[in-house]
Amino acid sequence: SSLSLLSLGYNNLSGPIPTSLWNISTLTKLSVQRNMLSGTIPPNSFNNLPHIQVLYMDNNNFHGPIPASISNASSMVDFQPAHNFFSGIIPSEIGRLRNLILLQLNWNLLEAKEPKDWEFITALTNCSRLQILGLSGNKFGGVLPDSFSNLSASLTYIDLEDNQISGSIPDGIGNLLSLQILALDINLFTEFLPSSLFRLKNLVVLYVDYNNIGGTIPMAIGNLTELNDLLLNSNAFSSTIPETLGNLTKLVELDMSSNYLTGPVPSTIFNIATLSRYLDLSNNNLEGKLPEEIGNLKNLIKFNAESNKLSGEIPATIGECQLLQYLSLKNNTFNGSIPLILSQLKALEFVNLSSNNLSGPIPKSLGDLTMLRYLNLSFNELSGE
C-alpha cells in the first residue's frame, strides 16, 4: 500500500497491466518498458495516480487512445509510451503537466488532420520545463500551428520525422534557442527554410531531408557552427552551394543530394577536416572541376558526386583520403585518365567511375586493392587491357 517505485522493464511479460496497478496512489515511478504487454490505458487510470512522475511504457503492444485523465498526473516529469500502437489525437489536457520534461510519443498511430487536432501543441506551451519532444513515426498531417514556435525555451530535442506534415516550417522556430536536435525529415514540408532557423546556434543535428522545401540554401546557414549532421537531401533546393558551409567546422556528415543545386562545388567544403562519415552531392546540376582541396578530407569514408555536370580531371589529391571506402563519380563528364593514386586507397570497397569521358588504360595497380568488391568503369573511352 506504500509502493512508490515499480520497475518491470526488459522482461518477457505479456497481457494487460492489471487494473489494480492503476489504483496504487503512492506510485511515483512505473516502468514496464520493453516487454510484450498489450491492452489499453483505462480511461480513468490517472485519477488515482496523483504522485506519478515517471511512466515508461515504450516498446510494447499497447493500443487505444491516450486518456484525457492524464491531466490528473500533475507531477509527471517523464512520459514515454513510444513504440506501441496508441491511436487517435493527443488530448490537449496533456498541457496541464506543468513539470513535464520528457514526452516521447514516437512510433505509434497517433494522428492530426484538422487544425483542432493540433491543439495539444498549443497546450504544451504551458510546459515550460519541456526539453524532449518526440512525435516521429506517427500519422500527423496538416500544418504545424504557429504556437509550435512558442514551445518551451528549454527544448533541446524535437523529432517530427516520418509523418505527413505539410505547409511551411514555422517562421518563429528560431525562438527555440536551446535546440540541439531538430528532425523534420520525411514529411511534406514546402516553401523555404525560414530565416529564424539560422539563429539556432546550439544545433548539433539538423534533418530536413525528404521534403519539398525549395528556394535557396541561405548564406546564413554558416551561422550554425555547432552542427555535426546536416541533411538537406531529397528536396527542391535550386541555388548554388553557399561557401559559408565552410564555417561548419564540426560537420561529420553532409548530404545535399537529390536537389537542383547549380554552379561549382565550393572548395570551402573540403576544408572541413571533421567530415568523415559521408559527403553526398549526387543528383544535382553541379558543374566545373572537383576542387583539389578534396585531399584535405583525410578521414572521409564515403564520397558521392554522381549524376552532376562535373568536368575536368579527377584530382590526384583524392589519394590523400586514406580512409575512403566508397567513391562514386559516375554520370559526369570527367576526362583524362584514371588516377594511379587510387590504388593507394587500400580501404576502397566501392568505386564507380562509369558514364564519363575517361580515357587511357585501366591502371593494373587497381588489382592490388584487396578490399574492393565493386568496380564499374563502363561507358568511358578506356583502352588497352
Side-chain angles (χ1 to χ4, degrees), residues 13-16 32-41 57-64 81-86 108:
L13 300 171
S14 58
V32 295
Q33 63 189 144
R34 294 188 180 271
N35 279 286
M36 295 178 287
L37 296 167
S38 57
T40 63
I41 302 177
M57 305 178 69
D58 54 282
N59 293 275
N60 282 286
N61 297 308
F62 295 115
H63 64 277
H83 292 270
N84 281 287
F85 299 96
F86 289 112
N108 280 287

Side-chain angles (χ1 to χ4, degrees), residues 226-244:
E226 295 298 314
L227 276 180
N228 288 172
D229 298 356
L230 176 58
L231 304 188
L232 303 173
N233 54 292
S234 304
N235 278 289
F237 294 115
S238 56
S239 63
T240 56
I241 299 176
E243 291 190 359
T244 53

